[in-house]
Amino acid sequence: MTFPRKNYFFLFFVILGVTVVHNSCNDSGCTNPDADNFDPEADLDDGSCIIYGCINPEADNFNADANTDDGSCVYNCINPDYYCLDITFNHFIDNQNVNFGNNDPSYFNLAQNNYSVRRILYVLSDITLFFVDSTVVLDDFFFINSDLPETLNKTIFDLPGECTGISFRYGLSSIQNIDNNFINELDNFHLSMLWPNLNGTNDALQGGYHYMKLEGKYIDQNTEVVFYNNHTGPTNSNDFSFLFDPYTFSPSSSISINMNINNWYNDPIYDLNIFGSGIMSNNNAQTIIQQNASDVFTVIPN
């Protein structure tokens, strides 16, 4: 069957019109270009738009456009309705402020080791804050790195009152200290503190994370200046972390956590000449440092 030419063109446009109508179906999605899930192809808003931000109107950084809280709310510490805790981390050799990066071995411990401190990195975890009528258990841990000044101060917001005490663990417990458990943490924590995993070829190195990296130089028995790397962590399947009893103080919104580095070496005595430059496979060295942890820290209100 054949169509006259004019009917043929009429049928072509009818078919074309049906196609155009078919392509004009609406695509639903988020049409707000400021949303985190904006869909540029959508022409019908379905109410799914997500805008992350602080949704508490009492916070200093309240975002009136946000509809999904991202945990970023910041509260003024002076505001009596919103308390916070400023924590400063200080490091001493007895009564002297540590001169990080100085390679001149000018400090002494009870073993009469003459040593310097190049840097210190360590973890405090299982953190609990105490208040007059309550406690707050933090989900996060503290990572302190003397090479990164921004890690030497922490502020914890939105607390129920002025803090009256704190407890924490040096290092990470065996429950938390799992390979690749903290890949996305800030301050390059994962790569900085990774404990090697040799896949069963060395029982001392089974993965997880360091508790501490304390590094510098010392003068050995031959009066040579040599490096030491006192790296602590889970050795030979043993957990050498240390959970401290709570430190209590008068109510405060600002405290200092002070470390006396010499106390890692003093009771029982740790001799750099005995344990040498590296201790990651040495259970005896790890045990002594764990035992010495009990009086390394002091906590005072500011």
Side-chain angles (χ1 to χ4, degrees):
M1 179 178 180
T2 60
F3 293 99
R5 181 178 297 272
K6 62 179 180 179
N7 289 337
Y8 175 80
F9 282 110
F10 174 75
L11 180 61
F12 173 80
F13 283 110
V14 169
I15 295 173
L16 180 62
V18 170
T19 303
V20 170
V21 171
H22 176 74
N23 286 342
S24 67
C25 290
N26 294 322
D27 291 326
S28 60
C30 175
T31 62
N32 184 347
D34 294 327
D36 293 273
N37 61 332
F38 169 60
D39 182 358
E41 302 296 327
D43 52 19
L44 179 65
D45 196 280
D46 62 359
S48 66
C49 291
I50 297 175
I51 301 176
Y52 291 103
C54 175
I55 63 174
N56 187 340
E58 301 297 327
D60 292 348
N61 60 333
F62 169 62
N63 183 352
D65 296 322
N67 59 19
T68 304
D69 195 276
D70 62 357
S72 67
C73 291
V74 175
Y75 302 89
N76 190 333
C77 293
I78 300 174
N79 186 335
D81 296 325
Y82 292 97
Y83 294 91
C84 62
L85 180 65
D86 283 317
I87 304 176
T88 302
F89 299 92
N90 301 308
H91 305 90
F92 301 92
I93 301 291
D94 296 331
N95 295 319
Q96 304 176 59
N97 285 304
V98 174
N99 185 9
F100 290 112
N102 181 8
N103 286 323
D104 177 25
S106 57
Y107 303 124
F108 288 90
N109 58 27
L110 288 185
Q112 295 303 303
N113 298 137
N114 198 192
Y115 72 100
S116 66
V117 181
R118 157 65 185 90
R119 65 174 185 167
I120 187 169
L121 300 80
Y122 58 99
V123 183
L124 301 181
S125 62
D126 292 340
I127 301 157
T128 299
L129 303 179
F130 297 87
F131 304 88
V132 173
D133 298 316
S134 62
T135 59
V136 172
V137 179
L138 304 185
D139 293 332
D140 203 1
F141 58 85
F142 297 150
F143 173 45
I144 297 90
N145 181 350
S146 62
D147 285 339
L148 299 176
E150 61 270 23
T151 69
L152 303 181
N153 184 270
K154 309 284 185 183
T155 302
I156 306 167
F157 297 98
D158 197 17
L159 297 173
E162 287 193 315
C163 194
T164 60
I166 186 172
S167 66
F168 50 79
R169 177 187 299 275
Y170 155 68
L172 296 163
S173 71
S174 57
I175 296 174
Q176 288 186 293
N177 208 354
I178 301 170
D179 246 8
N180 301 321
N181 199 27
F182 301 109
I183 289 178
N184 297 318
E185 290 295 321
L186 299 176
D187 302 315
N188 201 33
F189 172 79
H190 175 75
L191 292 178
S192 297
M193 300 298 279
L194 192 67
W195 190 265
N197 187 342
L198 298 188
N199 297 314
T201 61
N202 186 329
D203 290 338
L205 306 176
Q206 299 185 38
Y209 296 89
H210 287 74
Y211 308 149
M212 178 174 69
K213 289 182 175 181
L214 175 54
E215 302 170 354
K217 293 183 178 181
Y218 73 102
I219 300 176
D220 69 7
Q221 293 170 320
N222 300 316
T223 67
E224 299 284 340
V225 177
V226 295
F227 286 99
Y228 70 86
N229 297 303
N230 288 345
H231 290 187
T232 64
T235 304
N236 296 312
S237 301
N238 293 315
D239 179 3
F240 288 103
S241 66
F242 187 94
L243 182 63
F244 294 89
D245 292 332
Y247 297 89
T248 59
F249 40 82
S250 57
S252 180
S253 60
S254 178
I255 64 173
S256 293
I257 297 180
N258 301 328
M259 176 194 286
N260 183 353
I261 290 177
N262 235 1
N263 284 1
W264 289 115
Y265 301 134
N266 286 350
D267 185 20
I269 290 177
Y270 180 104
D271 191 338
L272 289 164
N273 285 310
I274 293 175
F275 294 114
S277 61
I279 61 170
M280 291 180 66
S281 299
N282 193 319
N283 267 19
N284 290 333
Q286 299 285 343
T287 298
I288 291 176
I289 287 183
Q290 182 197 47
Q291 292 172 341
N292 281 335
S294 62
D295 64 351
V296 163
F297 294 100
T298 56
V299 179
I300 60 172
N302 295 327

